Amino acid sequence: MSDETAIAFAPLAQRAAAEVDATNPPDRISVRDHVVEVEIGAFQSERDTTQRVRFSVVVEVAPSDGAATDDVDDILSYDTITDAIAAELAAERLNLLETLAERIADRILREPQPLRVFVRIEKLDRGSGTLGVEIVRHRAVAGTATDQADEVKHPMVVLLDRAAVNSPDLGGFLDRLEQGARPAILCVEGAEPPTATTPLSGPAARIDLLSTEQMAWRLAARDARCVVVETRTELDWGMNNGQISVWAPSKLVLDAVEGPASAAPLELAVWFAAHMQAEMLIVIGHDAPALSPIPVMSRQLVDAP
């Protein structure tokens, strides 16, 4: 751990002694020993269970009028820190503390006041000791990925049933999809009907998701324009580069904080379209659901999109 990081988390007296010769040292706002029960971790034993994770965050801020005005709007609120932690925990299930720390730091540095942020995250229930990571990030380092993420793409998501994947009309459908103005992402139903009707955990649900991915690869084998993708990064790249992506659901579904209730094709597609903030979901070979957070249309392959 660097001397600066040690000082950031050290008691105030130690920090004062270390900065006795400093000119105009920045103010620091902190939230320490903030403990949350969360599901996180790369090991199978850490899935479908929660563990205690402790957060300590110190933010160096530019001088402000807050002390003089006594106005909460003139300072960086403690809620900014705890909200950043809560938002990143709610965004998706993560494997690594390192990833979580980076995202929390980046979110805090989007605010106007922070100059530098120190993040310490510790697992309290793994083994006999405390496991953790510590990072420090400057405003100049953060922001590039954030600025790129500000432009939200609203794709058209299409659910294809097994008959559509094997149809002789598939090529014409993909031709029309390529000519469309909106980025397109394809969902498919599994090679076999789903067997798990309970929440997506356990072997049966994994088998259903793998069956869906088997059909995704079958579609890619039929037409090289269809590229199987599984991560949000790959999906975003496809939307920005005119690629027809075929969603392989396991990673996003299993890492989701609030995922779909089952691996039923329509339920997966509706959840995914909402997750991607799609402009529309077109379902082929299925009836449109009665309720959906986004517009849904039921079409025939020869008429879609």
Side-chain angles (χ1 to χ4, degrees), residues 2 20 55 123 195 219 240 245 248 304:
S2 70
V20 67
F55 298 84
K123 291 182 178 181
T195 58
L219 175 57
N240 289 325
S245 298

Side-chain angles (χ1 to χ4, degrees), residues 67-301:
T69 63
D70 198 34
D71 188 340
V72 69
D73 290 336
D74 290 335
I75 56 124
L76 180 75
S77 171
Y78 306 112
D79 290 341
T80 301
I81 299 174
T82 55
D83 288 350
I85 294 170
E88 293 306 331
L89 289 177
E92 65 175 315
R93 184 198 182 281
L94 295 175
N95 291 325
L96 301 178
L97 294 182
E98 289 85 349
T99 305
L100 181 57
E102 288 281 359
R103 293 185 181 183
I104 290 171
D106 182 76
R107 184 176 286 270
I108 292 171
L109 287 171
R110 298 178 199 177
E111 298 294 324
Q113 302 98 330
L115 302 173
R116 189 164 59 160
V117 59
F118 301 81
V119 180
R120 172 190 286 166
I121 309 178
E122 300 166 296
K123 291 182 178 181
L124 304 181
D125 300 325
R126 294 292 293 178
S128 58
T130 299
L131 310 178
V133 300
E134 295 175 349
I135 68 168
V136 54
R137 293 294 180 266
H138 297 71
R139 174 177 294 281
V141 176
T144 303
T146 301
D147 295 341
Q148 293 174 348
D150 286 340
E151 183 182 355
V152 178
K153 296 285 187 181
H154 298 284
M156 178 174 62
V157 175
V158 183
L159 171 62
L160 302 176
D161 66 356
R162 286 183 289 275
V165 171
N166 296 307
S167 171
D169 297 317
L170 178 66
F173 161 76
L174 295 175
D175 291 340
R176 296 190 297 276
L177 211 58
E178 278 189 316
Q179 296 164 8
R182 293 168 292 183
I185 305 173
L186 303 181
C187 298
V188 294
E189 68 178 2
E192 301 292 338
T195 58
T197 57
T198 56
L200 285 171
S201 60
R206 296 293 185 94
I207 291 170
D208 289 339
L209 292 172
L210 289 173
S211 177
T212 301
E213 296 184 359
Q214 180 183 1
M215 185 60 72
W217 285 106
R218 185 175 299 176
L219 175 57
R222 284 211 62 195
D223 195 298
R225 290 174 290 182
C226 298
V227 180
V228 178
V229 299
E230 62 176 17
T231 67
R232 184 58 192 257
T233 299
E234 292 173 300
L235 288 162
D236 288 341
W237 189 93
M239 288 191 290
N240 289 325
N241 290 275
Q243 174 180 284
I244 300 177
S245 298
V246 187
W247 179 46
S250 291
K251 178 169 176 54
L252 283 184
V253 168
L254 295 174
D255 288 350
V257 175
E258 295 184 7
S262 76
L266 191 56
E267 190 150 14
L268 278 178
V270 169
W271 176 85
F272 175 71
H275 177 78
M276 296 298 296
Q277 301 180 47
E279 182 176 327
M280 176 177 291
L281 170 64
I282 294 177
V283 296
I284 297 174
H286 296 271
D287 294 328
L291 296 175
S292 171
I294 60 167
V296 183
M297 294 181 60
S298 180
R299 304 285 293 271
Q300 300 295 317
L301 188 67

Side-chain angles (χ1 to χ4, degrees), residues 41-49 93 206:
F43 290 94
Q44 188 61 38
S45 60
E46 295 177 289
R47 285 193 174 272
D48 303 320
T49 187
R93 184 198 182 281
R206 296 293 185 94

